[in-house]
Amino acid sequence: MLPAYISSPGAVLSRGKMPIDLGKNFFDGRRILGRGKTFEGLALGTLLGFIAGVIVELYSGLYGSYFNIFLLSFGGLFGDICNSFLKRRLGIEQGKKLPVLDQLNLVFGSWFLCFVFSRDWFLESFNWYIAITVLVMTPLLHRAANIAAYKLRLKDVPW
Ligand code: CTP
Ligand code: MG
């Protein structure tokens, strides 16, 4: 999961300005994604997650290919974008909480892309035991990382 665990906080580091939704509203009159999802964040996050995965790959061969590393890294932020889309449709303002999904969107996004584009590797690599471990550990890591980002003034809120 490392590429996805790096790409999400990596996006925050960008302090990006160019919104992926280009500032546009959806049919419901709310922003499509909101100003918290930027191209800079997507690019920097994906790159940092990818680099982290490549370093691990050189020592372990765990990911099998650079494409799989990309799927995990980009997929984490894909999940984050889907989460913001859902939050806006539910009327939750940018920066406000959506419990559980705020923590697990990166898991679902990265697994989804791996399942669609690299199914054999995904099913070989993630058994039930690993999957459940990831689902339990991720919210804990997420909480710790967000408190740290808040204290470092990288984020305005500790979630
Ligand atoms: N960020 C970004 N680009 C992304 C993802 C995140 O620039 N693709 C940056 C934004 O500055 C964002 C911050 O990281 O405000 C925190 O990310 P997150 O908590 O995921 O977004 P929110 O601002 O809380 O927005 P939302 O309510 O849509 O989740
Ligand atoms: Mg947030």
Side-chain angles (χ1 to χ4, degrees):
M1 294 307 292
L2 183 78
Y5 286 164
I6 298 289
S7 65
S8 287
V12 183
L13 288 178
S14 77
R15 297 174 163 264
K17 298 272 179 289
M18 282 164 50
I20 294 169
D21 67 7
L22 305 174
K24 294 194 191 314
N25 289 346
F26 200 59
F27 301 110
D28 55 10
R30 300 179 191 279
R31 282 284 291 269
I32 301 174
L33 301 174
R35 63 183 175 85
K37 303 298 113 144
T38 68
F39 284 112
E40 296 97 321
L42 184 61
L44 182 68
T46 302
L47 181 70
L48 293 177
F50 184 77
I51 291 170
V54 167
I55 292 168
V56 170
E57 177 69 5
L58 295 176
Y59 289 95
S60 69
L62 199 63
Y63 300 108
S65 76
Y66 289 164
F67 180 60
N68 291 338
I69 299 170
F70 170 80
L71 291 176
L72 287 167
S73 179
F74 182 80
L77 291 171
F78 171 72
D80 182 49
I81 287 169
C82 294
N83 187 52
S84 289
F85 181 79
L86 178 69
K87 283 168 79 173
R88 299 301 89 79
R89 304 292 73 71
L90 293 173
I92 301 169
E93 284 171 42
Q94 184 257 324
K96 296 284 185 296
K97 289 191 234 189
L98 176 56
V100 185
L101 277 181
D102 270 343
Q103 285 85 56
L104 289 178
N105 64 59
L106 68 100
V107 174
F108 297 140
S110 57
W111 285 356
F112 177 75
L113 289 200
C114 289
F115 186 77
V116 171
F117 294 106
S118 195
R119 191 163 305 171
D120 291 343
W121 170 77
F122 176 70
L123 294 176
E124 270 166 32
S125 305
F126 291 86
N127 57 31
W128 283 106
Y129 175 73
I130 294 174
I132 289 165
T133 304
V134 169
L135 290 173
V136 172
M137 287 301 297
T138 302
L140 301 175
L141 287 168
H142 192 275
R143 185 87 192 112
N146 280 304
I147 291 171
Y150 175 70
K151 295 224 157 121
L152 293 168
R153 296 167 187 264
L154 293 167
K155 290 196 70 170
D156 299 331
V157 289
W159 58 77

